[in-house]
Amino acid sequence: MERFGNEGYDAFALSLDRGTWDKLKKNDWERLNTLETLASLEGGMTFFEGEAILVYQKEGTSTFFPGYRILRAVARGEEGLLPSRLRQTLDKARALLTGIKGTQKEMALAIHDLLCEHITYTIDESTNDDDRCVGALLNGKANCDGYADAYMLLCGLKGIEARLWHGDDLNYDDPLDDRGHLWNLVLLDGIWRSVDVTWDDGDQDETSWIYWNIGTDRMSRYYTYVADLLPDRMLEVTDLLDRPVPEFEAGTAEQAMAAVREAGKRQAPGLVLWMTDALFREYRSERNPVWNWLDLSGVEESTVTYSDRE
């Protein structure tokens, strides 16, 4: 799959032996979805069972994600061969990136924040634009596919390697709806990290960094995915302090207060406090609410929120 994309084909057929097809079909369909995502395939698969051939082709368009096609064209100096809509998307991407500089990690974070500000989450059944960087950048509207494609594109234009990654939302509780989700892996300081711009883009123009620069320890809390297809040198343990808003773990009220004091010393804009189940239940109880034991009197405009996911 990667080979055909790198060689410039926009569609191809993949002939499988019967054993491989039976294994994929019966036991490991998610693996095929992950392989498709790693190859930046947007879909459009049909299957001829008699010959065990998977045909990746879309009518009138490429089967690869637009962000991948744009990056491929830029790398080859073939921008002029792109369809006009993709050239417009490239122009918009470059305009958005104006002024973004620094280390790769600083730029990757700035791109994350930029997209959170620029895009509004939407699912529009009347168009495919929201599935792609095209809608994300030109219309400012996208679903998770569009967010991830746009992040891959903008990082790539800054020389930062980013990939698409596929899985399911572990905490989505509607069994009748699609739990599928798309986010990114980004290579920083020689280590791959998980970045989910979609989930960090909150309502009312609020941006969080809960899903920025996390390792497989956090990924396993939020998603189900094919772990053995992850790239080598994947971040395993999330660095709680290597974040725009530092994070701390606490099992007692004393540890929680120490975290507040440490965040103050760092002049951090806030903090995230990961409580043990026992401490969280104490916080949620009417008998002993958080204000009775967590002294936030020295913190300006202090608020306490919580998420069922965390």
Side-chain angles (χ1 to χ4, degrees):
M1 293 178 183
E2 291 179 349
R3 171 191 164 195
F4 278 103
N6 289 334
E7 290 183 358
Y9 295 95
D10 283 335
F12 62 94
L14 180 64
S15 180
L16 303 174
D17 62 76
R18 176 55 58 180
T20 300
W21 166 247
D22 287 342
K23 183 177 185 299
L24 289 171
K25 181 179 178 182
K26 295 178 181 179
N27 304 318
D28 211 356
W29 194 255
E30 184 61 28
R31 182 175 295 271
L32 179 60
N33 289 336
T34 302
L35 290 170
E36 291 172 342
T37 303
L38 284 172
S40 299
L41 290 171
E42 193 182 5
M45 181 189 74
T46 57
F47 175 62
F48 295 91
E49 189 163 6
E51 295 84 15
I53 296 176
L54 299 177
V55 179
Y56 293 88
Q57 186 171 14
K58 284 188 171 184
E59 293 184 7
T61 186
S62 168
T63 193
F64 293 94
F65 271 92
Y68 174 79
R69 292 185 67 198
I70 293 172
L71 289 174
R72 186 180 66 189
V74 169
R76 296 177 175 183
E78 298 174 351
E79 300 172 23
L81 300 180
L82 288 169
S84 61
R85 189 89 163 135
L86 296 194
R87 291 199 303 273
Q88 293 171 17
T89 302
L90 174 58
D91 290 342
K92 181 66 175 182
R94 284 173 166 161
L96 288 171
L97 289 171
T98 300
I100 289 185
K101 56 186 179 180
T103 66
Q104 286 200 329
K105 186 177 290 185
E106 289 169 342
M107 290 191 294
L109 176 59
I111 292 169
H112 165 282
D113 294 354
L114 181 155
L115 291 178
C116 286
E117 180 179 351
H118 182 74
I119 305 171
T120 299
Y121 182 84
T122 188
I123 297 178
D124 188 350
E125 300 295 343
S126 66
T127 178
N128 289 327
D129 273 4
D130 59 337
D131 294 324
R132 307 165 179 171
C133 62
V134 177
L137 300 184
L138 296 185
N139 305 332
K141 297 179 180 180
N143 59 27
C144 62
D145 289 17
Y147 275 89
D149 191 30
Y151 190 74
M152 177 178 68
L153 171 59
L154 267 62
C155 283
L157 291 174
K158 280 295 186 178
I160 303 167
E161 187 176 355
R163 297 179 181 177
L164 303 172
W165 188 250
H166 177 272
D168 286 338
D169 180 349
L170 182 62
N171 299 288
Y172 195 71
D173 57 4
D174 186 350
L176 300 180
D177 204 354
D178 182 14
R179 299 172 57 208
H181 187 55
L182 204 69
W183 67 102
N184 296 97
L185 303 181
V186 60
L187 183 64
L188 300 172
D189 301 325
I191 300 175
W192 288 96
R193 305 141 191 277
S194 175
V195 175
D196 193 332
V197 185
T198 307
W199 282 2
D200 273 339
D201 188 8
D203 297 331
Q204 300 177 347
D205 297 324
E206 295 179 356
T207 299
S208 77
W209 300 274
I210 295 294
Y211 307 101
W212 152 260
N213 186 18
I214 65 174
T216 53
D217 57 338
R218 290 280 183 88
M219 287 175 65
S220 298
R221 291 184 184 183
Y222 308 133
Y223 319 105
T224 59
Y225 54 89
V226 183
D228 62 3
L229 291 179
L230 286 169
D232 295 334
R233 295 172 292 133
M234 186 75 197
L235 182 68
E236 296 181 0
V237 179
T238 303
D239 185 343
L240 298 184
L241 298 181
D242 186 19
R243 320 185 59 67
V245 174
E247 301 182 15
F248 304 86
E249 295 178 341
T252 66
E254 290 74 19
Q255 290 173 346
M257 273 309 308
V260 173
R261 289 193 294 270
E262 180 62 25
K265 291 179 182 177
R266 292 172 175 268
Q267 298 184 321
L271 78 153
V272 175
L273 189 62
W274 295 87
M275 301 180 184
T276 61
D277 288 344
L279 186 61
F280 182 73
R281 286 194 298 269
E282 186 76 2
Y283 152 49
R284 292 291 293 162
S285 70
E286 294 182 4
R287 177 182 61 81
N288 193 19
V290 64
W291 308 113
N292 286 358
W293 53 264
L294 184 58
D295 181 11
L296 295 174
S297 58
V299 180
E300 293 185 13
E301 299 181 3
S302 58
T303 60
V304 175
T305 60
Y306 78 97
S307 166
D308 290 335
R309 277 201 180 96
E310 294 89 32

